[in-house]
Amino acid sequence: MASLVCVGTGIGLAGQISVRAKSHIEHADIVFSLMPDGFAQRYIEGLNANVVNLQQFYAQGDEIKNRRLTYEQMTQAMVEAAQSGRRVVGAFYGHPGVFACVPHMAIRRCTALGIEAWMEPGISAEDCLWADLGIDPAQSGHQSFEASQFMFFRHQPAPCCHLLLWQIALAGENTLTRFHTSRDRLQVLVKQLSQWYPLEHEVVLYEAAFLPVHEPRICRLALKDLPDAEMDPATTLLVPPAQKLEHNLEVLAMLGLTPADLA
């Protein structure tokens, strides 16, 4: 029976894939995979003999290609396979619904065609970040934005909680044809953030480990030094709180509480 399920394989190779996701891959008629490296790709190919690598749709060599076209081609390949009556699996590293538009597009399109389609979650880079940095985001709360979206729109960060900016290596890049930004664009971001955070405020560049033999990258630096820092498409910027949480005295009074009750 025709179907599409998009699964997350986690960040760490093999060790973070769920039993359900692995079973879907093993029993699929065809698997479309998007993995971060050759090791992960070969692991998927070891689970199913019919695997299509979605990396082929990205620009190759000196080719310049808009990523919107790439994502449309990936989506269409998965939908057409489902339309042919096959059990299709889309295997995406991390969580298939987080910073991954293709699974969402493919599921919506299949559903509109009357084809059963759904998503199975996976361990995301954010899950790894909290674990590797030893942070419980519930203690102060956190905000999360794609870096360019944060720059292009009037988001208001709360300096009393953790701020995550994803795809920092693409901050301010809007052509969808490049996989890196420029020092000047990062300087604009620093100026923007300096409205809420001191230039000397310590921030963290984070990259989760894809292989068990690797360590996560945790680089601490001052906000002002961000434009000169090394980063790649997998890098996330964490801006820790710069202020303490402020009690909402009016609400506490309505609840019959005082700040001492929360200590």
Side-chain angles (χ1 to χ4, degrees):
M1 180 178 177
S3 65
L4 167 67
V5 54
C6 291
V7 305
T9 62
I11 297 296
L13 175 64
Q16 293 179 348
I17 189 171
S18 72
V19 173
R20 287 172 64 92
K22 185 178 179 182
S23 178
H24 281 305
I25 294 171
E26 291 174 331
H27 295 94
D29 294 322
I30 184 171
V31 178
F32 292 86
S33 67
L34 189 60
M35 296 292 110
D37 52 47
F39 294 104
Q41 179 64 26
R42 285 190 288 276
Y43 171 76
I44 299 299
E45 292 170 353
L47 299 179
N48 191 298
N50 190 14
V51 178
V52 176
N53 189 344
L54 291 174
Q55 290 283 359
Q56 65 180 293
F57 293 108
Y58 281 110
Q60 305 296 322
D62 295 330
E63 178 187 7
I64 296 177
K65 184 178 181 181
N66 191 292
R67 287 195 292 281
R68 286 195 182 93
L69 175 58
T70 294
Y71 301 149
E72 173 58 30
Q73 291 173 332
M74 291 179 177
T75 300
Q76 193 58 29
M78 295 168 64
V79 172
E80 287 179 356
Q83 284 182 292
S84 71
R86 288 180 283 183
R87 292 174 298 173
V88 180
V89 168
F92 298 83
Y93 69 92
H95 190 301
V98 178
F99 289 93
C101 65
V102 172
H104 289 290
M105 292 166 59
I107 288 172
R108 284 197 298 267
R109 204 164 296 178
C110 281
T111 300
L113 292 169
I115 299 171
E116 184 180 15
W118 71 100
M119 182 179 290
E120 295 284 354
I123 294 176
S124 70
E126 181 174 334
D127 300 315
C128 296
L129 181 147
W130 301 129
D132 289 335
L133 294 180
I135 296 172
D136 179 357
Q139 291 187 345
S140 65
H142 81 282
Q143 294 174 292
S144 181
F145 304 98
E146 196 277 332
S148 292
Q149 185 197 79
F150 178 83
M151 297 176 71
F152 298 157
F153 299 93
R154 289 189 176 276
H155 289 298
Q156 293 289 324
C160 60
C161 70
H162 292 280
L163 173 66
L164 292 177
L165 294 182
W166 299 93
Q167 298 180 329
I168 189 66
L170 293 172
E173 208 291 305
N174 71 327
T175 68
L176 294 179
T177 60
R178 299 176 182 175
F179 285 92
H180 59 83
T181 188
S182 66
R183 187 183 188 282
D184 290 343
R185 290 180 180 133
L186 288 170
Q187 192 62 57
V188 171
L189 175 60
V190 169
K191 182 178 181 179
Q192 187 178 7
L193 288 171
S194 68
Q195 299 174 70
W196 303 281
Y197 303 92
L199 289 174
E200 296 296 334
H201 186 62
E202 183 181 86
V203 300
V204 181
L205 291 175
Y206 171 81
E207 296 167 22
F210 288 117
L211 297 174
V213 295
H214 292 168
E215 294 292 329
R217 181 190 175 211
I218 301 172
C219 177
R220 303 180 187 275
L221 67 161
L223 175 60
K224 64 180 177 64
D225 296 327
L226 183 64
D228 297 313
E230 179 182 344
M231 58 187 71
D232 65 31
T235 307
T236 300
L237 176 67
L238 169 69
V239 184
Q243 300 175 7
K244 292 183 178 180
L245 291 170
E246 183 178 348
H247 291 104
N248 190 327
L249 298 178
E250 181 180 354
V251 170
L252 289 179
M254 294 170 63
L255 296 172
L257 299 173
T258 69
D261 294 319
L262 306 181

